[in-house]
Amino acid sequence: MATLYRCKTPTDRLCACGKVARRLRRAGIDFEEVRVAVMKRDRPEVEDLTGQRFVPVLVHRDEVIHDSHRIVQYVDYLESREESATGAR
């Protein structure tokens, strides 16, 4: 199971964190959401993982990915690998 560190925005339509959550759901990746503090200075768990305090951050298997664009690219990569393995187009 993956872990998504994200902002406290109550919807998936208003921010980059929501974009990532929607993409993970569409890919069928189970994930736990950790809502982090609004103030960046109050996000030590994110800083411990990535060396910076911005969200979203995805922890999946041994990978820690930050930045919504990179996370979406990672999910696309996982899906393409899965399709290659199953022979689907």
Coordinates of all heavy atoms in Angstrom, one line a residue:
M1 N 0.8 -1.2 0.0 CA 0.0 0.0 0.0 C 0.9 1.2 0.0 O 1.9 1.3 0.6 CB -0.9 0.0 1.2 CG -1.7 1.3 1.3 SD -2.8 1.4 2.7 CE -4.2 0.5 2.1
A2 N 0.5 2.2 -0.7 CA 1.2 3.5 -0.8 C 0.7 4.5 0.2 O -0.4 4.3 0.8 CB 1.0 4.1 -2.2
T3 N 1.5 5.5 0.5 CA 1.1 6.6 1.4 C 1.2 7.9 0.6 O 2.3 8.2 0.1 CB 2.0 6.6 2.7 OG1 1.9 5.3 3.3 CG2 1.5 7.7 3.6
L4 N 0.2 8.7 0.7 CA 0.2 10.0 0.0 C 0.1 11.1 1.1 O -0.9 11.2 1.8 CB -1.0 10.2 -0.9 CG -1.1 11.5 -1.6 CD1 0.0 11.8 -2.5 CD2 -2.5 11.6 -2.4
Y5 N 1.2 11.9 1.2 CA 1.2 13.0 2.1 C 0.6 14.2 1.3 O 1.1 14.5 0.2 CB 2.6 13.3 2.6 CG 3.2 12.3 3.5 CD1 3.8 11.1 3.0 CD2 3.1 12.4 4.9 CE1 4.3 10.1 3.8 CE2 3.6 11.4 5.7 CZ 4.2 10.3 5.2 OH 4.6 9.3 6.0
R6 N -0.4 14.8 1.8 CA -1.1 15.8 1.1 C -1.6 16.9 2.0 O -1.6 16.8 3.2 CB -2.2 15.2 0.3 CG -3.4 14.6 1.1 CD -4.5 14.2 0.3 NE -5.2 15.4 -0.3 CZ -6.2 15.3 -1.1 NH1 -6.7 14.2 -1.4 NH2 -6.7 16.4 -1.7
C7 N -2.0 18.0 1.3 CA -2.6 19.2 2.1 C -3.9 18.8 2.6 O -4.5 17.8 2.4 CB -2.6 20.4 1.1 SG -3.8 20.2 -0.2
K8 N -4.5 19.8 3.4 CA -5.8 19.6 4.0 C -7.0 20.0 3.2 O -8.1 20.1 3.7 CB -5.8 20.3 5.4 CG -4.8 19.7 6.4 CD -5.0 20.3 7.7 CE -4.0 19.6 8.7 NZ -4.5 19.4 10.0
T9 N -6.7 20.4 1.9 CA -7.8 20.8 1.1 C -8.9 19.6 1.1 O -8.6 18.5 0.8 CB -7.4 21.0 -0.3 OG1 -6.3 22.0 -0.3 CG2 -8.5 21.5 -1.2
P10 N -10.2 20.0 1.4 CA -11.2 18.9 1.6 C -11.7 18.3 0.3 O -12.4 17.3 0.3 CB -12.3 19.7 2.3 CG -12.1 21.1 1.8 CD -10.7 21.3 1.7
T11 N -11.2 18.7 -0.9 CA -11.7 18.2 -2.1 C -10.5 17.8 -3.0 O -9.4 18.3 -2.8 CB -12.6 19.1 -2.9 OG1 -13.0 18.5 -4.1 CG2 -11.9 20.4 -3.2
D12 N -10.7 16.9 -4.0 CA -9.6 16.5 -4.9 C -9.6 17.4 -6.1 O -8.9 17.1 -7.1 CB -9.8 15.0 -5.3 CG -9.4 14.1 -4.2 OD1 -8.7 14.5 -3.2 OD2 -9.8 12.9 -4.3
R13 N -10.4 18.4 -6.2 CA -10.5 19.2 -7.4 C -9.7 20.6 -7.4 O -9.6 21.2 -8.4 CB -11.9 19.6 -7.7 CG -12.7 18.3 -8.0 CD -12.5 17.8 -9.3 NE -13.2 16.6 -9.6 CZ -12.9 15.7 -10.5 NH1 -11.9 15.9 -11.3 NH2 -13.6 14.6 -10.6
L14 N -9.2 21.0 -6.2 CA -8.6 22.3 -6.1 C -7.1 22.4 -6.0 O -6.6 23.5 -6.1 CB -9.2 23.0 -4.8 CG -10.7 23.1 -4.8 CD1 -11.1 23.7 -3.5 CD2 -11.2 24.0 -5.9
C15 N -6.4 21.3 -6.0 CA -5.0 21.4 -5.8 C -4.2 20.3 -6.4 O -4.8 19.3 -6.9 CB -4.6 21.5 -4.3 SG -5.1 20.0 -3.4
A16 N -2.9 20.4 -6.4 CA -2.1 19.3 -7.0 C -2.2 18.0 -6.2 O -2.0 16.9 -6.8 CB -0.6 19.8 -7.1
C17 N -2.4 18.1 -4.9 CA -2.5 16.9 -4.1 C -3.7 16.1 -4.6 O -3.7 14.9 -4.6 CB -2.7 17.3 -2.6 SG -1.2 18.1 -2.0
G18 N -4.8 16.8 -4.9 CA -6.0 16.1 -5.4 C -5.8 15.5 -6.7 O -6.3 14.4 -7.0
K19 N -5.1 16.2 -7.6 CA -4.7 15.6 -8.9 C -4.0 14.3 -8.7 O -4.4 13.3 -9.4 CB -3.8 16.6 -9.6 CG -3.3 16.1 -10.9 CD -2.3 17.1 -11.5 CE -1.5 16.5 -12.7 NZ -0.6 17.5 -13.2
V20 N -3.1 14.2 -7.8 CA -2.4 12.9 -7.5 C -3.3 11.9 -7.0 O -3.3 10.7 -7.4 CB -1.2 13.2 -6.6 CG1 -0.6 11.9 -6.1 CG2 -0.1 14.0 -7.3
A21 N -4.2 12.3 -6.0 CA -5.1 11.3 -5.5 C -6.0 10.7 -6.5 O -6.3 9.5 -6.6 CB -5.9 12.0 -4.3
R22 N -6.5 11.6 -7.4 CA -7.4 11.1 -8.5 C -6.7 10.2 -9.4 O -7.2 9.1 -9.8 CB -8.0 12.3 -9.3 CG -9.0 13.2 -8.6 CD -9.6 14.2 -9.5 NE -8.8 14.8 -10.5 CZ -8.2 16.0 -10.3 NH1 -8.3 16.6 -9.1 NH2 -7.5 16.5 -11.2
R23 N -5.4 10.5 -9.7 CA -4.6 9.6 -10.6 C -4.4 8.3 -10.0 O -4.4 7.2 -10.6 CB -3.3 10.3 -11.0 CG -2.5 9.5 -12.0 CD -3.2 9.5 -13.3 NE -2.4 8.7 -14.2 CZ -2.7 7.4 -14.5 NH1 -3.7 6.8 -13.9 NH2 -1.9 6.7 -15.3
L24 N -4.1 8.2 -8.7 CA -3.8 7.0 -8.0 C -5.1 6.1 -8.0 O -5.0 4.9 -8.2 CB -3.4 7.2 -6.5 CG -2.0 7.8 -6.4 CD1 -1.7 8.3 -5.0 CD2 -0.9 6.8 -6.8
R25 N -6.2 6.7 -7.7 CA -7.5 6.0 -7.8 C -7.8 5.4 -9.1 O -8.2 4.2 -9.3 CB -8.6 6.8 -7.3 CG -8.7 7.1 -5.8 CD -10.0 7.8 -5.4 NE -9.7 8.4 -4.1 CZ -9.4 9.7 -3.9 NH1 -9.4 10.5 -5.0 NH2 -9.2 10.2 -2.7
R26 N -7.6 6.2 -10.2 CA -7.8 5.7 -11.5 C -6.9 4.6 -11.9 O -7.3 3.7 -12.7 CB -7.6 6.9 -12.5 CG -8.2 6.6 -13.9 CD -8.3 7.8 -14.8 NE -6.9 8.4 -15.1 CZ -6.6 9.6 -14.9 NH1 -7.5 10.5 -14.4 NH2 -5.4 10.1 -15.2
A27 N -5.7 4.6 -11.4 CA -4.7 3.5 -11.6 C -5.0 2.3 -10.8 O -4.3 1.2 -11.0 CB -3.3 4.0 -11.4
G28 N -5.9 2.4 -9.8 CA -6.2 1.3 -8.9 C -5.1 1.0 -7.9 O -5.0 -0.1 -7.4
I29 N -4.4 2.0 -7.5 CA -3.3 1.9 -6.5 C -3.9 2.2 -5.1 O -4.4 3.4 -4.9 CB -2.1 2.8 -6.8 CG1 -1.5 2.4 -8.1 CG2 -1.1 2.8 -5.6 CD1 -0.4 3.3 -8.6
D30 N -3.9 1.3 -4.2 CA -4.4 1.5 -2.9 C -3.5 2.5 -2.1 O -2.2 2.3 -2.2 CB -4.6 0.2 -2.1 CG -5.7 -0.6 -2.6 OD1 -6.7 -0.1 -3.1 OD2 -5.5 -1.9 -2.5
F31 N -4.0 3.4 -1.5 CA -3.1 4.4 -0.7 C -3.8 4.9 0.5 O -5.0 5.0 0.6 CB -2.7 5.5 -1.6 CG -3.7 6.4 -2.1 CD1 -4.0 7.6 -1.4 CD2 -4.6 6.1 -3.2 CE1 -5.0 8.5 -1.9 CE2 -5.6 7.0 -3.6 CZ -5.8 8.2 -3.0
E32 N -3.0 5.3 1.4 CA -3.4 5.9 2.7 C -3.1 7.4 2.5 O -2.1 7.8 2.0 CB -2.7 5.3 3.9 CG -2.8 6.0 5.1 CD -1.8 5.5 6.2 OE1 -0.9 4.7 5.9 OE2 -1.9 6.0 7.3
E33 N -4.0 8.2 3.0 CA -3.8 9.7 2.9 C -3.3 10.2 4.3 O -4.0 9.8 5.3 CB -5.0 10.4 2.5 CG -5.4 10.3 1.1 CD -6.6 11.1 0.7 OE1 -7.5 11.4 1.6 OE2 -6.7 11.4 -0.5
V34 N -2.3 10.9 4.3 CA -1.8 11.6 5.5 C -1.9 13.1 5.3 O -1.3 13.7 4.4 CB -0.4 11.2 5.9 CG1 0.1 12.0 7.1 CG2 -0.2 9.7 6.1
R35 N -2.9 13.7 5.9 CA -3.1 15.2 5.8 C -2.1 15.9 6.7 O -2.0 15.7 7.9 CB -4.5 15.6 6.2 CG -5.6 14.8 5.4 CD -5.8 15.4 4.0 NE -6.8 14.7 3.3 CZ -7.6 15.2 2.4 NH1 -7.5 16.5 2.2 NH2 -8.5 14.5 1.8
V36 N -1.3 16.7 6.1 CA -0.2 17.4 6.8 C -0.7 18.8 7.2 O -1.6 19.4 6.7 CB 1.1 17.5 6.0 CG1 1.6 16.1 5.7 CG2 0.9 18.3 4.7
A37 N 0.1 19.4 8.1 CA -0.2 20.8 8.6 C -0.2 21.8 7.4 O 0.5 21.6 6.4 CB 0.9 21.2 9.6
V38 N -0.9 22.8 7.6 CA -1.0 23.9 6.6 C 0.3 24.6 6.5 O 0.8 24.9 5.4 CB -2.2 24.9 6.9 CG1 -2.2 26.1 6.0 CG2 -3.5 24.2 6.9
M39 N 0.9 25.0 7.6 CA 2.2 25.7 7.6 C 3.3 24.7 7.3 O 3.5 23.7 7.9 CB 2.4 26.3 9.0 CG 1.3 27.3 9.4 SD 1.2 28.8 8.4 CE 2.7 29.6 8.9
K40 N 4.1 25.2 6.3 CA 5.2 24.3 5.9 C 6.2 24.0 7.0 O 6.8 22.9 7.1 CB 6.0 24.9 4.7 CG 5.2 24.9 3.4 CD 6.0 25.6 2.3 CE 5.1 25.8 1.1 NZ 4.3 27.0 1.2
R41 N 6.4 25.0 7.9 CA 7.3 24.8 9.0 C 6.9 23.6 10.0 O 7.7 23.1 10.8 CB 7.5 26.1 9.8 CG 6.3 26.5 10.5 CD 6.6 27.7 11.4 NE 5.4 28.0 12.2 CZ 4.8 29.2 12.1 NH1 5.3 30.1 11.4 NH2 3.6 29.4 12.8
D42 N 5.6 23.2 9.9 CA 5.0 22.2 10.8 C 4.9 20.9 10.1 O 4.0 20.1 10.4 CB 3.7 22.6 11.3 CG 3.8 23.9 12.1 OD1 4.8 24.1 12.8 OD2 2.8 24.7 12.1
R43 N 5.8 20.6 9.1 CA 5.8 19.4 8.3 C 7.1 18.6 8.4 O 7.7 18.2 7.4 CB 5.5 19.6 6.9 CG 4.2 20.3 6.6 CD 4.1 20.6 5.1 NE 2.8 21.3 4.8 CZ 2.5 21.8 3.6 NH1 3.4 21.7 2.6 NH2 1.4 22.4 3.4
P44 N 7.5 18.3 9.6 CA 8.8 17.6 9.8 C 8.8 16.2 9.1 O 9.8 15.7 8.6 CB 9.0 17.5 11.3 CG 7.6 17.5 11.9 CD 6.8 18.4 10.9
E45 N 7.6 15.5 9.1 CA 7.6 14.2 8.5 C 7.9 14.2 7.0 O 8.5 13.4 6.4 CB 6.3 13.5 8.8 CG 5.0 14.1 8.1 CD 4.4 15.3 8.8 OE1 5.1 16.1 9.5 OE2 3.1 15.4 8.7
V46 N 7.4 15.3 6.3 CA 7.7 15.5 4.9 C 9.1 15.8 4.7 O 9.8 15.3 3.8 CB 6.7 16.6 4.3 CG1 7.1 16.9 2.9 CG2 5.3 16.1 4.4
E47 N 9.7 16.7 5.5 CA 11.1 17.0 5.4 C 12.0 15.8 5.6 O 13.0 15.7 4.9 CB 11.4 18.2 6.4 CG 12.8 18.7 6.2 CD 13.1 19.9 7.0 OE1 12.4 20.2 8.0 OE2 14.1 20.6 6.7
D48 N 11.6 15.0 6.6 CA 12.4 13.8 6.8 C 12.5 12.9 5.6 O 13.5 12.2 5.4 CB 11.9 13.0 8.0 CG 12.1 13.7 9.4 OD1 12.9 14.7 9.4 OD2 11.4 13.4 10.4
L49 N 11.4 12.8 4.9 CA 11.3 11.9 3.7 C 12.0 12.5 2.5 O 12.6 11.7 1.8 CB 9.8 11.7 3.4 CG 9.0 10.8 4.3 CD1 7.6 10.9 3.9 CD2 9.5 9.3 4.1
T50 N 11.9 13.8 2.3 CA 12.3 14.4 1.0 C 13.4 15.5 1.1 O 13.9 15.9 0.1 CB 11.1 15.0 0.3 OG1 10.6 16.1 1.1 CG2 10.0 13.9 0.1
G51 N 13.6 16.0 2.3 CA 14.6 17.1 2.4 C 13.9 18.4 2.1 O 14.6 19.5 2.1
Q52 N 12.6 18.5 1.9 CA 11.9 19.7 1.7 C 10.5 19.6 2.3 O 10.2 18.5 2.8 CB 11.8 20.0 0.2 CG 11.3 18.9 -0.7 CD 9.8 18.8 -0.8 OE1 9.1 19.8 -0.9 NE2 9.2 17.6 -0.8
R53 N 9.7 20.6 2.3 CA 8.4 20.6 3.0 C 7.2 20.7 2.2 O 6.1 21.0 2.7 CB 8.4 21.6 4.1 CG 9.5 21.4 5.2 CD 9.5 22.4 6.2 NE 10.6 22.2 7.1 CZ 10.7 22.7 8.3 NH1 9.8 23.6 8.7 NH2 11.7 22.4 9.1
F54 N 7.3 20.5 0.9 CA 6.2 20.7 0.0 C 5.5 19.4 -0.2 O 6.1 18.3 -0.2 CB 6.6 21.3 -1.4 CG 7.2 22.6 -1.3 CD1 8.6 22.8 -1.2 CD2 6.4 23.8 -1.3 CE1 9.1 24.1 -1.2 CE2 6.9 25.0 -1.2 CZ 8.3 25.2 -1.1
V55 N 4.2 19.5 -0.5 CA 3.3 18.3 -0.8 C 2.7 18.5 -2.2 O 2.7 19.6 -2.6 CB 2.2 18.1 0.3 CG1 2.8 17.6 1.6 CG2 1.4 19.3 0.5
P56 N 2.4 17.5 -2.8 CA 2.2 16.1 -2.4 C 3.6 15.3 -2.4 O 4.5 15.6 -3.2 CB 1.3 15.5 -3.5 CG 1.6 16.3 -4.7 CD 1.9 17.7 -4.2
V57 N 3.6 14.2 -1.6 CA 4.7 13.3 -1.6 C 4.1 11.9 -1.6 O 3.1 11.6 -0.8 CB 5.6 13.5 -0.3 CG1 6.6 12.4 -0.2 CG2 6.2 14.8 -0.3
L58 N 4.6 11.0 -2.4 CA 4.1 9.7 -2.5 C 5.2 8.7 -2.0 O 6.3 8.8 -2.5 CB 3.7 9.3 -3.9 CG 3.2 7.9 -4.1 CD1 1.8 7.6 -3.4 CD2 3.1 7.5 -5.6
V59 N 4.8 7.8 -1.1 CA 5.7 6.8 -0.7 C 5.1 5.5 -1.2 O 4.0 5.1 -0.8 CB 5.9 6.7 0.8 CG1 6.8 5.6 1.2 CG2 6.4 8.0 1.3
H60 N 5.8 4.8 -2.2 CA 5.3 3.6 -2.8 C 6.4 2.6 -2.9 O 7.4 2.9 -3.5 CB 4.7 3.9 -4.2 CG 4.1 2.7 -4.8 ND1 4.6 2.1 -5.9 CD2 2.9 2.0 -4.5 CE1 3.8 1.1 -6.3 NE2 2.8 1.0 -5.4
R61 N 6.2 1.4 -2.2 CA 7.3 0.5 -2.1 C 8.6 1.1 -1.6 O 8.5 1.7 -0.5 CB 7.5 -0.2 -3.5 CG 6.3 -0.9 -4.0 CD 6.6 -1.5 -5.4 NE 5.3 -2.1 -5.9 CZ 5.0 -2.1 -7.1 NH1 5.8 -1.6 -8.0 NH2 3.9 -2.6 -7.5
D62 N 9.7 1.1 -2.3 CA 10.9 1.7 -1.8 C 11.1 3.1 -2.3 O 12.1 3.8 -2.1 CB 12.1 0.9 -2.1 CG 12.1 -0.4 -1.4 OD1 11.5 -0.5 -0.3 OD2 12.7 -1.4 -1.9
E63 N 10.1 3.6 -3.1 CA 10.2 4.9 -3.8 C 9.6 6.0 -2.9 O 8.5 5.9 -2.4 CB 9.6 4.9 -5.1 CG 10.1 3.8 -6.1 CD 11.5 4.2 -6.6 OE1 11.9 5.4 -6.6 OE2 12.3 3.3 -6.9
V64 N 10.2 7.2 -2.9 CA 9.7 8.4 -2.3 C 9.7 9.4 -3.4 O 10.8 9.8 -3.9 CB 10.5 8.9 -1.1 CG1 9.9 10.2 -0.5 CG2 10.5 7.8 0.0
I65 N 8.6 9.9 -3.9 CA 8.5 10.8 -5.0 C 7.7 12.1 -4.5 O 6.7 12.0 -3.9 CB 7.7 10.2 -6.2 CG1 8.3 8.9 -6.5 CG2 7.8 11.1 -7.4 CD1 7.4 7.7 -6.3
H66 N 8.3 13.2 -4.8 CA 7.6 14.5 -4.5 C 7.4 15.2 -5.8 O 8.1 15.0 -6.8 CB 8.3 15.3 -3.5 CG 9.7 15.8 -3.8 ND1 9.9 16.9 -4.4 CD2 10.9 15.2 -3.6 CE1 11.2 17.0 -4.6 NE2 11.8 16.0 -4.1
D67 N 6.5 16.2 -5.8 CA 6.1 16.9 -7.0 C 5.0 16.2 -7.8 O 5.2 15.0 -8.1 CB 7.2 17.2 -7.9 CG 6.8 18.1 -9.1 OD1 6.6 19.3 -8.9 OD2 6.7 17.6 -10.2
S68 N 3.9 16.8 -7.9 CA 2.7 16.2 -8.5 C 3.0 15.6 -9.9 O 2.6 14.6 -10.3 CB 1.5 17.1 -8.6 OG 1.8 18.3 -9.3
H69 N 3.8 16.4 -10.7 CA 4.1 15.9 -12.1 C 4.9 14.7 -12.1 O 4.7 13.7 -12.9 CB 4.8 17.0 -12.9 CG 4.0 18.3 -13.1 ND1 2.9 18.3 -13.9 CD2 4.0 19.5 -12.5 CE1 2.3 19.5 -13.9 NE2 3.0 20.3 -13.0
R70 N 5.9 14.6 -11.2 CA 6.7 13.4 -11.1 C 5.9 12.2 -10.6 O 6.1 11.1 -11.1 CB 7.9 13.7 -10.2 CG 8.9 14.6 -10.8 CD 10.1 14.8 -9.9 NE 11.0 15.7 -10.5 CZ 12.0 16.3 -9.8 NH1 12.1 16.1 -8.5 NH2 12.8 17.1 -10.4
I71 N 5.0 12.5 -9.7 CA 4.2 11.4 -9.2 C 3.3 10.8 -10.3 O 3.2 9.6 -10.4 CB 3.4 11.8 -7.9 CG1 4.3 12.2 -6.8 CG2 2.4 10.7 -7.5 CD1 3.6 12.9 -5.6
V72 N 2.7 11.7 -11.0 CA 1.8 11.2 -12.2 C 2.7 10.5 -13.2 O 2.2 9.4 -13.7 CB 1.1 12.4 -12.8 CG1 0.4 12.0 -14.1 CG2 0.0 12.9 -11.8
Q73 N 3.9 10.9 -13.5 CA 4.8 10.2 -14.4 C 5.1 8.8 -13.9 O 5.1 7.9 -14.6 CB 6.0 11.0 -14.7 CG 5.9 12.2 -15.5 CD 7.1 13.0 -15.7 OE1 8.0 13.0 -14.8 NE2 7.2 13.8 -16.7
Y74 N 5.4 8.8 -12.6 CA 5.7 7.5 -11.9 C 4.5 6.5 -12.0 O 4.7 5.3 -12.4 CB 6.0 7.7 -10.4 CG 6.2 6.5 -9.6 CD1 7.4 5.7 -9.8 CD2 5.3 6.0 -8.7 CE1 7.6 4.6 -9.0 CE2 5.5 4.9 -8.0 CZ 6.6 4.2 -8.1 OH 6.8 3.0 -7.4
V75 N 3.3 7.0 -11.8 CA 2.1 6.1 -11.9 C 1.9 5.7 -13.4 O 1.6 4.5 -13.6 CB 0.8 6.9 -11.4 CG1 -0.4 6.0 -11.7 CG2 1.0 7.1 -9.9
D76 N 2.1 6.6 -14.3 CA 2.1 6.2 -15.7 C 3.1 5.1 -16.1 O 2.8 4.2 -16.8 CB 2.3 7.5 -16.6 CG 1.2 8.5 -16.6 OD1 0.1 8.2 -16.1 OD2 1.5 9.6 -17.0
Y77 N 4.3 5.3 -15.5 CA 5.3 4.3 -15.7 C 4.9 2.9 -15.2 O 5.0 1.9 -15.8 CB 6.6 4.7 -15.1 CG 7.7 3.7 -15.0 CD1 8.4 3.2 -16.1 CD2 7.9 3.1 -13.8 CE1 9.3 2.3 -16.0 CE2 8.9 2.1 -13.6 CZ 9.6 1.7 -14.8 OH 10.5 0.7 -14.7
L78 N 4.3 2.9 -14.0 CA 3.9 1.7 -13.4 C 2.8 1.0 -14.2 O 2.8 -0.2 -14.4 CB 3.3 1.9 -12.0 CG 4.3 2.3 -10.9 CD1 3.6 2.6 -9.6 CD2 5.4 1.2 -10.7
E79 N 1.9 1.8 -14.7 CA 0.8 1.3 -15.6 C 1.4 0.7 -16.9 O 1.0 -0.3 -17.4 CB -0.2 2.3 -15.9 CG -1.2 2.6 -14.7 CD -2.4 3.4 -15.1 OE1 -2.2 4.4 -15.9 OE2 -3.5 3.1 -14.7
S80 N 2.3 1.4 -17.5 CA 2.9 0.9 -18.7 C 3.7 -0.4 -18.5 O 3.6 -1.3 -19.4 CB 3.8 2.0 -19.4 OG 5.0 2.2 -18.6
R81 N 4.4 -0.5 -17.4 CA 5.1 -1.8 -17.1 C 4.1 -2.9 -16.9 O 4.3 -4.0 -17.3 CB 5.9 -1.6 -15.8 CG 7.3 -1.1 -16.0 CD 8.1 -1.2 -14.8 NE 7.7 -2.2 -13.8 CZ 8.1 -2.3 -12.6 NH1 8.9 -1.3 -12.1 NH2 7.8 -3.2 -11.8
E82 N 3.0 -2.6 -16.2 CA 1.9 -3.6 -16.0 C 1.3 -4.1 -17.3 O 1.1 -5.2 -17.5 CB 0.9 -3.1 -15.1 CG -0.2 -4.1 -14.7 CD -1.2 -3.5 -13.7 OE1 -0.7 -3.0 -12.6 OE2 -2.4 -3.5 -14.0
E83 N 1.0 -3.1 -18.2 CA 0.5 -3.4 -19.5 C 1.5 -4.3 -20.3 O 1.1 -5.2 -21.0 CB 0.1 -2.2 -20.3 CG -1.1 -1.5 -19.7 CD -1.4 -0.1 -20.3 OE1 -0.6 0.3 -21.3 OE2 -2.4 0.5 -19.9
S84 N 2.7 -3.9 -20.3 CA 3.8 -4.7 -21.0 C 3.8 -6.1 -20.5 O 4.0 -7.1 -21.2 CB 5.1 -4.1 -20.8 OG 5.2 -2.8 -21.4
A85 N 3.7 -6.3 -19.2 CA 3.8 -7.6 -18.6 C 2.6 -8.5 -18.9 O 2.7 -9.7 -19.1 CB 3.9 -7.5 -17.1
T86 N 1.4 -7.9 -19.0 CA 0.2 -8.6 -19.3 C -0.1 -8.7 -20.8 O -1.0 -9.4 -21.2 CB -1.0 -8.0 -18.6 OG1 -1.2 -6.7 -19.1 CG2 -0.8 -8.0 -17.1
G87 N 0.7 -7.9 -21.6 CA 0.4 -7.9 -23.1 C -0.7 -7.1 -23.5 O -1.2 -7.2 -24.6
A88 N -1.3 -6.3 -22.6 CA -2.4 -5.4 -23.0 C -2.0 -4.2 -23.8 O -0.8 -3.8 -23.7 CB -3.2 -5.0 -21.7
R89 N -2.9 -3.6 -24.5 CA -2.5 -2.4 -25.3 C -3.4 -1.3 -24.8 O -4.4 -1.2 -24.5 CB -2.8 -2.7 -26.8 CG -1.8 -3.7 -27.3 CD -2.0 -3.8 -28.7 NE -1.0 -4.8 -29.2 CZ -0.7 -5.0 -30.4 NH1 -1.3 -4.3 -31.4 NH2 0.2 -5.8 -30.8

